[in-house]
């Protein structure tokens, strides 16, 4: 996986400082149980008990049957299909919105102090692939503090041979079985500007090393050229049909 981080830096990371971000955890992405957006809804009453001024929001939840049962009908969900650019925090529950265009989603993430992606494969950790999804890379690229699933962090290895979770200040690692611990950690970091900077800087250094196109593509092309062409792959033209 690779991404041109220069574009994200200039358009988002450098335009939205930590001081200008809302004290909020935001999920921006399609609905799928694999990414567990429902976790924000389950977190809501716990984190509000600790800090009533800490907010949560969901974006990208389409009106499918799966999303209806998992998210839209959830008692903590306040579903509003179209996002008008503002949040009404006086309403109960978590504001939950429908699909968005990419640039709008990037802006929403950039304005939030925390970005959530609970991508997890608890029964198939071998399928993680030692990588991040583009959504995860973009959260960090925007200068927003990532909140990722603990199981995911424990089962991916970086280019130095270290587990993701063993990289200091890469992400806030959330366990579905300990939502109170996640809530406490988010509120603590939200009230500590030095901790916020550590997460913002360390996570960006990580994706720059692991996924920046300037670093990844030259190595990939060099590897492909070293492998060379397999001239014996097809015996005749019919094999290509």
């Amino acid at each position: 996986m690779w991404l041109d981080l220069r574009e994200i830096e200039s358009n988002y990371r450098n335009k939205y400082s930590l001081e200008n971000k809302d004290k909020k955890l935001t999920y921006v992405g399609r609905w799928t149980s694999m990414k567990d957006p429902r976790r924000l809804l389950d977190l809501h009453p716990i984190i509000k008990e600790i800090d009533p001024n800490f907010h949560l929001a969901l974006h990208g939840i389409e009106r499918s049957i799966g999303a209806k049962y998992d998210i839209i009908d959830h008692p903590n969900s306040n579903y509003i299909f179209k996002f008008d650019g503002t949040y009404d925090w006086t309403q109960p529950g978590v504001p939950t919105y429908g699909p968005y265009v990419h640039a709008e989603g990037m802006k929403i993430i950039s304005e939030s102090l925390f970005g959530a992606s609970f991508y997890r494969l608890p029964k198939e950790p071998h399928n993680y692939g030692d990588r991040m999804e583009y959504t995860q890379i973009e959260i960090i690229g925007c200068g927003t503090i990532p909140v990722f699933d603990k199981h995911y962090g424990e089962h991916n290895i970086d280019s130095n041979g270290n587990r993701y979770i063993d990289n200091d200040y890469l992400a806030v690692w959330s366990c579905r079985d300990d939502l109170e611990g996640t809530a406490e950690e988010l509120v603590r970091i939200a009230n500590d500007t030095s901790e916020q900077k550590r997460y913002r800087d360390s996570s960006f250094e990580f994706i720059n090393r692991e996924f920046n196109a300037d670093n990844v593509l030259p190595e990939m092309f060099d590897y492909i050229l070293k492998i060379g062409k397999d001239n014996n792959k097809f015996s005749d033209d019919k094999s290509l049909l």
Side-chain angles (χ1 to χ4, degrees):
M1 305 290 281
W2 57 269
L3 207 64
D4 182 0
L5 294 182
R6 289 171 298 183
E7 180 182 358
I8 295 179
E9 271 194 285
S10 60
N11 291 333
Y12 301 101
R13 178 182 172 85
N14 294 341
K15 289 185 178 180
Y16 297 88
S17 64
L18 286 170
E19 294 77 13
N20 293 326
K21 291 179 182 288
D22 299 327
K23 188 163 68 171
K24 180 168 84 263
L25 172 64
T26 308
Y27 176 89
V28 177
R30 65 184 177 89
W31 173 81
T32 170
S33 58
M34 181 175 62
K35 297 186 180 184
D36 197 20
R38 182 188 178 97
R39 193 176 306 190
L40 266 74
L41 302 178
D42 296 335
L43 262 171
H44 177 258
I46 301 172
I47 208 164
K48 284 295 184 180
E49 181 70 23
I50 300 172
D51 184 353
N53 296 315
F54 193 107
H55 301 303
L56 302 98
L58 286 163
H59 291 264
I61 309 301
E62 80 287 354
R63 290 180 286 196
S64 66
I65 291 297
K68 178 182 187 302
Y69 288 118
D70 191 47
I71 302 294
I72 298 173
D73 291 346
H74 193 290
N76 294 334
S77 172
N78 179 22
Y79 191 68
I80 310 160
F81 187 71
K82 182 64 176 176
F83 180 55
D84 66 2
T86 60
Y87 300 95
D88 183 0
W89 301 118
T90 64
Q91 297 299 312
V94 177
T96 304
Y97 302 95
Y100 55 89
V101 297
H102 184 259
E104 179 188 17
M106 295 290 280
K107 181 176 183 291
I108 291 168
I109 280 291
S110 298
E111 293 173 340
S112 183
L113 183 59
F114 299 96
S117 177
F118 300 122
Y119 170 54
R120 59 199 291 268
L121 300 171
K123 296 180 180 179
E124 302 175 325
H126 57 283
N127 286 331
Y128 278 130
D130 296 328
R131 65 176 180 85
M132 286 186 183
E133 293 196 318
Y134 281 122
T135 302
Q136 295 172 300
I137 299 171
E138 288 174 339
I139 290 172
I140 297 172
C142 287
T144 293
I145 299 171
V147 186
F148 295 158
D149 184 78
K150 185 179 179 182
H151 183 272
Y152 164 83
E154 293 172 334
H155 291 86
N156 281 277
I157 308 298
D158 66 18
S159 59
N160 292 328
N162 300 314
R163 299 187 306 168
Y164 280 16
I165 201 168
D166 294 329
N167 285 267
D168 293 338
Y169 299 103
L170 169 55
V172 177
W173 300 106
S174 170
C175 180
R176 179 161 255 302
D177 296 331
D178 183 19
L179 296 185
E180 184 174 346
T182 298
E184 290 173 349
E185 186 71 355
L186 292 174
V187 172
R188 183 187 68 80
I189 296 169
N191 292 306
D192 189 330
T193 54
S194 61
E195 282 279 280
Q196 294 167 25
K197 188 175 187 307
R198 290 189 188 101
Y199 278 100
R200 177 181 164 101
D201 293 344
S202 295
S203 60
F204 191 82
E205 289 173 8
F206 181 89
I207 63 168
N208 182 56
R209 184 184 77 224
E210 300 289 324
F211 307 113
N212 192 352
D214 291 343
N215 298 327
V216 174
L217 292 186
E219 183 177 345
M220 183 186 74
F221 291 140
D222 183 57
Y223 180 73
I224 292 172
L225 292 172
K226 283 181 180 178
I227 292 176
K229 181 180 179 182
D230 184 356
N231 294 314
N232 299 314
K233 190 171 184 179
F234 302 105
S235 59
D236 52 52
D237 291 345
K238 290 184 179 180
S239 301
L240 297 172
L241 300 177

